[in-house]
Amino acid sequence: MIKSIRFLLLGLFLWENVSAQKLPTDYVNPFIGTSNYGTTNPGAQVPNGLMNVSPFNVMGSSLNAFDKDARWWSTPYEHSNSYFTGFSHVNLSGVGCPDMGSLLLMPTSGKLEVDYHQYGSTYTQEVAHPGYYSNVLKKYGIKTEVSATTRVGVSKFTFPKGQANILLNLGEGLTNETGATVRYVSDTEIEGSKLLGSFCYTNNQAVYPIFFVMRVNKKPSKRGYWKFQRAGEKWENDWNKDAGKYKIFTDYTDQLSGDDLGAYFSFDVKENESLEVQLAVSFVSVENARKNLDAEQADFSFEKTQKNAASLWNNALSKIQVEGGTEDQKTVFYTALYHAMIHPNILQDVNGEYPAMESRKTLVADHNRYTVFSLWDTYRNVQPLMSLVYPDKQVGMIRSMIDIYKESGWMPKWELYSRESYTMDGDPAVPVIVDAWMKGIRDFDVNTVYEAFLKSATITDSTNKIRPDNADYVKYGYVPLRDSFDNSVSHAIEYYVADWNLAQLAGSLGKTKDAQLFAKRAQGYKHYYSSEYGTFRPILPNGEFLSPFSPLMGANFEPNHGFHEGNAWNYSFAIPFDIPGLVKLMGGKQKFVDRLQATFDKGYFDVTNEPDMLYPHVFSEIKGEEWRTQKLVKEILEKHFTNSPGGIPGNDDTGTMSTWALMNMIGIYPFCPGRPDYTVVTPVFDKVTIQLDKKYYPNGDKVTIRRQKAGAGDYIKKIVIDGKPFDGFKINHQTLVNSKDILIVTGNR
Amino acid sequence: MIKSIRFLLLGLFLWENVSAQKLPTDYVNPFIGTSNYGTTNPGAQVPNGLMNVSPFNVMGSSLNAFDKDARWWSTPYEHSNSYFTGFSHVNLSGVGCPDMGSLLLMPTSGKLEVDYHQYGSTYTQEVAHPGYYSNVLKKYGIKTEVSATTRVGVSKFTFPKGQANILLNLGEGLTNETGATVRYVSDTEIEGSKLLGSFCYTNNQAVYPIFFVMRVNKKPSKRGYWKFQRAGEKWENDWNKDAGKYKIFTDYTDQLSGDDLGAYFSFDVKENESLEVQLAVSFVSVENARKNLDAEQADFSFEKTQKNAASLWNNALSKIQVEGGTEDQKTVFYTALYHAMIHPNILQDVNGEYPAMESRKTLVADHNRYTVFSLWDTYRNVQPLMSLVYPDKQVGMIRSMIDIYKESGWMPKWELYSRESYTMDGDPAVPVIVDAWMKGIRDFDVNTVYEAFLKSATITDSTNKIRPDNADYVKYGYVPLRDSFDNSVSHAIEYYVADWNLAQLAGSLGKTKDAQLFAKRAQGYKHYYSSEYGTFRPILPNGEFLSPFSPLMGANFEPNHGFHEGNAWNYSFAIPFDIPGLVKLMGGKQKFVDRLQATFDKGYFDVTNEPDMLYPHVFSEIKGEEWRTQKLVKEILEKHFTNSPGGIPGNDDTGTMSTWALMNMIGIYPFCPGRPDYTVVTPVFDKVTIQLDKKYYPNGDKVTIRRQKAGAGDYIKKIVIDGKPFDGFKINHQTLVNSKDILIVTGNR
């Protein structure tokens, strides 16, 4: 009881701090997206840091409605769960497949217990800010606090008097892989590695070891390991009392390996005594993990780490300042911007070393080497956001992609920790880099980029790892359905997007013939159009459409013929580069608009996933119909993006859903990657100030987007740029970055 | 069919080689003791080498009558089994508890199969010589050959044309522990470690990692790992096709850890192509394993290794030359001598480094550091044999024991790889070292020895790890039965033996009061004598004898009150240092002789275990009854020690059973360790020549023991030493080593 009051007071004190002054980080609610399958986590991380320290509450008890072992599950934390079993180190945010979420650090008090079914605890007093998370474990009366530097997670545990235990569980995690090894270097330091990977099971060879070094700041009274011992026959168990149980190793500190094991430290502590734990990782080696730890925590305390993390976030988030709007809108906005900088992550160690793509050869980076590229998602808006607001990051990411090509022979698709998972569809590196190039971000080796793009676009044999069905695609102009439930149409649609982008790059580089070739290939989408249904429709190897066919099949992530994570309705307008062609194909403007409007009216629009996330903005491609975009975006933002754990509709997809919201909230949305413009929509804020990076945008300093209400409605009546009236609803990237002020006047339709 | 003929011819060729010339190694049959629970193995090893490479045929198929997972099992090989699953590296020989028997190297051909239930094979054409073993795998037509240097196992596999696979299984083994880690260093080299230990489960903390480096002599076409993936829920298995199965890693070569995993190399080979594999170990580190490999296989081929091993064995075995006797007797003899030099093993690496006792601190040896001390067994005869024939080894072993004391604070009891298992009873380091001392082997630090012995003899609190019941023992002069089925009487009997030995040492060092004290304590055995039963009998804490009581309880390794691995009959004459006292206790010579004779006549004598192995020789302590010893020894040798897989009665106990046979076969048996003499029995050979080490026995060079038949019987009629008649049947050690010729004249009784 006394413990509860103590921490209640502490909680209030923290809350008062928060209310004292409003910084961008004060408008970040890391719990947004932690329910409703948003799969974000409230863990501590610095912007694009390798380390993320998240509370882990998805195993060990029926108190958790969502259990990683009882259903498909992909995130270390679910807001409605309540049984906590530690902090996982290095986590994926907003993804739909399980991986990472390991190195589970748990404080307990009293007698040592190493079975997570037993040692877990419910919790209260959850507090999360960028770079900080805290709770109070009800079972133990332990206050936990975590923070992070780029490569090191730091934890502070405040214990009641008695025996305090710190456990590092190496047996569990979200990852599909098991197997770890650990060794005591001294009484206060352990080192080891654990296998991770097989993300989405799409490439079961794409595994990677994570190396770690962990230190505690006090010499323990006892330390050792535990390991689950395989069960023997009954006669054997009579002798071996450890069989089929967790064996506690009290007197052995050399290397221990296995599937289900961990290390523990026990201490005698005074009431309210705090212990600190530092856990550094590397994807190269244990030695590098130690270098990371020494470098990033040389003279750091928990408080310093926490302040440093908050400061890094404030600097990053301050690149966009918003005024007006509600507190909740500001919170949704800054949390979305925060989510846009969780991934990709810095991979290289403090000495610059990183594991080369696919080979695991150790190389030294001469720029930030990023990892975790969910490009099928992020090409749509996260990477364009980076080009506009964080061009230095964008260049680092593009250079990393180029290096990945140089190292492995292929651009990344869904890369994690220098392994390619081949998850999702298409050739998404193309729109990522072409979009940046077309926006003037050109500080990279475009010749190598072009070589890489030509390779994946033209190789038609089985060595083409990016476009596995390129032979069909090149031969027919489409990908026929060769297997039930294959993703042929989805693949082809992404190839069209990539080829259209490649045509833009070729044109920009003066490669006219290539530009013509790829522009022509991009038109192949028309093969799929079924006038009978008014949608795209899979084509059989004999050239005929799939029959029977239902364009509604595949909703809600059901398996579907030809379409990946969606149905025909979710893909049939997904040709951003040629809406005029699509309009013509679908029977002219009125039929097109009616059919697109019907997807919304009839509930065929899936707000939770990427393929149709551009649908509301398609209307803005048609003169006179832009109001529909403005109306739909406002409705979707209000309904689906809220300041609550369920405030992201479905997987955040490494920031893609969040970026959809945040760019629409500031009034500009990158409708067609590779086309250097933005669709203007109604901002939710009175004034948005974007700080531009002078290195990339020498004519700009900052640009404001102001909204002026000329009536009750939220429709755009007029756009004025630097005092001059602006025609249309698409603003060119160069216009934007060379402007000082964009005034958007709104009112009734 | 063709394959079979090919290997049949090869087999004949080898057999011809064997028959060409008779060296001591030609009289070693490594299959002796590989059935009938002898638990020796026919694997390749050099004398006292760390490395032993044994065929492993105790898992994976119901073809094996003896399966390590279906019953208590302690040896990698059983002669009557037939399903082979590889070669285990580093094995225990003749022990009764499972440990080691891991690093299972298996060649296969055709498609890669990693489940040992599938990849195992029956075999034929078994050939084994010291330092060499070979068979032909019937499933694959692969000829396997293995040999060893001190720290490296080498294998040569001759394959049929096609795909050849070499597997290193790190998941299985005899050891109770699991957990290994492995990493490809290059296409042809892997390194890693595996946990071993918990021998006999007596000390579940006594675990140790074995480190290894393995090389193949050809670049594989493919290489990778396998690992058993934990089974998931059904929904999970639908996605993850590897769940609950062995996953093959084809494209990952960095560190892999887990419970059940292995590494494979695949090759395209021509018909009859041989591949060689070298596997080095270290108990210090992977780096040291590599140093061992580089040093011992720098310019070695398989043939060189095999010849070197044979040469080392011939040198060692030639220290005793026998003439006369049958071929089988010579084989039993030399195989026994071979078994006497399987353990203890050299522990230090080529750079001298070894893991310090209990701490695993790395130290550097300035003499051979031995490990695997089964002292409760070996103090009885193996160590006395070493003192006589291999004093340099004996000194190395004693110095190792002293270092173990210095490092851990205690002398060894049943030590393995620098961990104390606390298996079996007593304080057996005392008789080992005192016996050597009393025989003039004094090239060690006796002051430290005495300090160590005093410590275990006098500390009466729970810190006394060697004599856990020393408080009772010191207080009462015996150990009362405090728990059902405890080993109190067995403990005490060993303490009496140790204390009597300690008294001898104290006397020799002029410590008269200590000598008196320990001599008196040694007399405590009399407490246990029950005149009612004529045997020893457990005493309850209240000082009364246990009732009800049956001296037959505990036969055949049944659990028993007070007695360990035996019953009252097996222990009641086991006071070698005071047979006169025992005679008096038991009512005088006739009663004593009758009762002892009855143990044999009624079948109470257990030939398979240590406590009563001295019984036949007890008769030689009584003037006029020596003929009984001669008769019994002859009968036991003929019945139980034969040139056959079942030719050792029960566990060889790291050479102890073998040494019982071999010393009796040459005519001298060390009846009472600590008393520097030998009981003379009838030699089975016409002439035995023992080469004496001039460093320790400057007056000797070699001594012959000749048997001259003066009649049909096998009773000793007369003993003549260097031409002079010798009185009695006990020959002093100094007399022996200073003699040239001992003539034993035999005839009828």
Side-chain angles (χ1 to χ4, degrees), chain B residues 556-573:
Chain B
N556 302 317
F557 292 81
E558 285 171 356
N560 190 9
H561 301 296
F563 298 98
H564 195 182
E565 294 189 0
N567 61 20
W569 284 113
N570 304 142
Y571 276 94
S572 291
F573 299 91

Side-chain angles (χ1 to χ4, degrees), chain B residues 180-196:
Chain B
T181 188
V182 58
R183 190 175 80 87
Y184 272 87
V185 178
S186 71
D187 284 340
T188 56
E189 181 173 323
I190 54 176
E191 63 177 28
S193 70
K194 179 167 166 59
L195 195 69
L196 304 169

Side-chain angles (χ1 to χ4, degrees), chain B residues 36 165 167 171 221 271 279 291 296 335-336 345 351 390 409 480 500 538 550 554 564 581 600 629 658 708 730:
Chain B
N36 190 30
N165 309 298
L167 317 179
S221 55
E271 180 70 11
L279 194 155
K291 282 175 188 157
E296 296 188 359
T335 305
N345 310 92
N351 60 4
Y390 310 95
W500 180 83
S550 162
H564 195 182
F600 291 97
T629 300
S658 285
Q708 197 175 78
K730 282 181 276 187

